[in-house]
Amino acid sequence: MIEIVDTKIDVEAVRKSVESQICGAAVLFTGSTRRFTCGRETEKLFYECYPSMALAKMRELHQIACQRWDIHACSIVHRIGEVDLGEVSIAVATSSPHRKNSFESAQWLIDTLKKTVPIWKKEIWTDGSTEWVHPDNNSPQQPM
Amino acid sequence: MIEIVDTKIDVEAVRKSVESQICGAAVLFTGSTRRFTCGRETEKLFYECYPSMALAKMRELHQIACQRWDIHACSIVHRIGEVDLGEVSIAVATSSPHRKNSFESAQWLIDTLKKTVPIWKKEIWTDGSTEWVHPDNNSPQQPM
Amino acid sequence: MNIKVQLFAEAREFAGALELEFDLELGSTVLDLKDKLIRDYPQLESLIQRSSFALNDDYGTDESEITEGTELAMIPPVSGG
Amino acid sequence: MNIKVQLFAEAREFAGALELEFDLELGSTVLDLKDKLIRDYPQLESLIQRSSFALNDDYGTDESEITEGTELAMIPPVSGG
């Protein structure tokens, strides 16, 4: 399940999408809108993406993860548009016969997605101001 | 949410139990009955526990995880009795402002639970034989 | 003093009992308990050597002292999760 | 050749447009494109220096050659998740 959606993510469906009797372990990561960042209060987030390339890159991450780890299945669902406080913007799920691979691949997937998939996040602060989020590392993306 | 149950675990409820607007990240680990182990086929698993001590140790893990990592919440639910193929025997959920703490603490919780909490697993193989599972490391548990 | 040791999993099946009851001298330690258990139930020796013992819901060491009323349990290698 | 560069997020807001259209010589590279963009839209220079450029849904380098029909996009530092 590799999807970009503009409504609430059905997190339980993402989790179930990687279930299998072959697997003894599954890891689900969810990222959601956090109220406070460095003392400032967020009203909501707004996400925008380059749809065709974002999906292509997410499929590439899926493929690399399946090659690098012994995982049975992997799902990545990202939400775009406005995401209210506490709501989920990203869900990543992996499953594998043994748990180490599920943990490592899920963490790699979210770390790498944040660095390479063309999706952008704008903070909408409670004081009414807005700001495109700049990742810590401002160097251009490198081809994976 | 620290529980030992003898019916199906409501995994979505475990995930939701750690949700918070303070947190931007949550990790959910589930362990389930795997069909094949070293080429042998499992029919189901049977779990037994020392109830009072298992709960005490699970609460201790919760407390240590909250002290060691900046996590907002942490839930551990273990099922005992018979667990059929593909069904969940353990669910661990953590949430934190940033994802690194959720991943590290969830992995530590399941790793440490498997080494220290008095719960035992018996394989019921499809050929009708049964076997108490022996962990790789057979040395007695040490106090944490 | 009269003490009871709760058994679980493999230990319970080996001994065919949920608990073992016997007399220990005042001031006995977990090591004394293990020696006594091995003498009374030699078929459990290998499992006892690989097991821990719990006193009041916490892991003890060979030196832990057993007192009247201590809740004791033999803990074979755990395998939850 | 006539080319279009799709803009997203900060770049789109800065330029006030979903895409920029202009002429490039045959055989131009991403570096030529960046030089041209900076000349035409000096207010975008800092963001262009921090951005990548995508050709047909994949990241290019300064040396990547642009051909007729290449789907081009300016990719400011990403921040999904």
Side-chain angles (χ1 to χ4, degrees), chain C residues 8-52:
Chain C
F8 297 98
E10 207 168 355
R12 180 179 48 71
E13 290 190 354
F14 249 124
L18 289 168
E19 59 180 22
L20 302 176
E21 191 171 354
F22 44 88
D23 279 310
L24 267 192
E25 281 180 34
L26 274 174
S28 292
T29 63
V30 165
L31 187 60
D32 299 324
L33 168 65
K34 285 158 77 170
D35 288 343
K36 168 88 172 155
L37 274 170
I38 290 169
R39 275 197 306 276
D40 291 2
Y41 305 91
Q43 77 276 22
L44 281 176
E45 172 161 8
S46 155
L47 188 56
I48 289 170
Q49 299 296 6
R50 288 181 289 118
S51 294
S52 301

Side-chain angles (χ1 to χ4, degrees), chain D residues 42-51:
Chain D
Q43 77 276 23
L44 281 176
E45 173 161 8
S46 156
L47 188 56
I48 288 169
Q49 299 297 5
R50 287 181 290 117
S51 294

Side-chain angles (χ1 to χ4, degrees), chain B residues 47-48 50 52-53 57 78 89-90 114-117 119-122 132-135 140-141, chain C residues 6 8-10 12-13 49-52 54 57-59 71 73 75-81:
Chain B
Y47 287 90
E48 174 175 333
Y50 177 11
S52 61
M53 182 173 171
K57 286 288 152 192
H78 205 300
S89 53
I90 172 83
K114 281 173 172 269
K115 282 184 275 189
T116 64
V117 176
I119 300 177
W120 299 270
K121 173 170 27 197
K122 188 196 235 173
W132 287 100
V133 175
H134 291 167
Q141 280 81 46
Chain C
Q6 296 183 72
F8 297 98
E10 207 168 355
R12 180 179 48 71
E13 290 190 354
Q49 299 296 6
R50 288 181 289 118
S51 294
S52 301
D57 289 347
D58 210 349
Y59 289 110
E71 189 177 317
I75 312 287
V78 304
S79 53

Side-chain angles (χ1 to χ4, degrees), chain B:
Chain B
M1 186 190 273
I2 304 290
E3 290 178 10
I4 294 173
V5 300
D6 58 4
T7 53
K8 278 199 188 183
I9 295 177
D10 182 345
V11 177
E12 178 69 352
V14 178
R15 186 186 74 77
K16 283 187 169 284
S17 72
V18 302
E19 274 188 341
S20 157
Q21 294 184 348
I22 297 170
C23 295
V27 167
L28 170 72
F29 170 81
T30 49
S32 53
T33 303
R34 195 177 56 225
R35 171 164 263 162
F36 296 103
T37 298
C38 303
R40 289 190 77 182
E41 190 173 357
T42 297
E43 162 88 30
K44 56 190 163 191
L45 294 175
F46 175 80
Y47 287 90
E48 174 175 333
C49 76
Y50 177 11
S52 61
M53 182 173 171
L55 278 171
K57 286 288 152 192
M58 284 160 68
R59 288 194 199 100
E60 199 175 303
L61 294 186
H62 176 283
Q63 200 178 5
I64 294 173
C66 289
Q67 282 165 1
R68 195 173 296 181
W69 287 277
D70 178 20
I71 54 178
H72 167 74
C74 134
S75 287
I76 311 169
V77 179
H78 205 300
R79 179 173 172 186
I80 56 165
E82 289 188 354
V83 182
D84 285 339
L85 283 187
E87 290 187 357
V88 172
S89 53
I90 172 83
V92 172
T94 55
S95 63
S96 53
H98 299 281
R99 70 187 181 283
K100 190 163 174 287
N101 288 312
S102 285
F103 271 109
E104 284 185 5
S105 57
Q107 193 153 12
W108 179 84
L109 283 164
I110 180 63
D111 287 352
T112 312
L113 178 142
K114 281 173 172 269
K115 282 184 275 189
T116 64
V117 176
I119 300 177
W120 299 270
K121 173 170 27 197
K122 188 196 235 173
E123 284 276 2
I124 299 168
W125 303 104
T126 50
D127 65 11
S129 64
T130 67
E131 188 180 342
W132 287 100
V133 175
H134 291 167
D136 305 332
N137 179 348
N138 273 337
S139 60
Q141 280 81 46
Q142 292 306 314
M144 274 190 307

Side-chain angles (χ1 to χ4, degrees), chain A residues 51-112:
Chain A
S52 61
M53 181 172 172
L55 278 171
K57 285 288 151 193
M58 284 159 69
R59 287 195 200 102
E60 199 175 304
L61 293 186
H62 176 283
Q63 200 178 4
I64 294 173
C66 289
Q67 282 166 0
R68 197 174 294 181
W69 287 277
D70 178 21
I71 55 178
H72 168 74
C74 133
S75 287
I76 311 170
V77 179
H78 205 299
R79 179 173 172 188
I80 57 165
E82 289 187 355
V83 182
D84 285 340
L85 283 187
E87 289 187 358
V88 171
S89 54
I90 173 84
V92 172
T94 55
S95 62
S96 53
H98 299 282
R99 70 187 181 284
K100 190 164 173 285
N101 288 312
S102 285
F103 272 109
E104 285 186 5
S105 57
Q107 193 153 12
W108 179 85
L109 283 164
I110 180 63
D111 287 353
T112 312

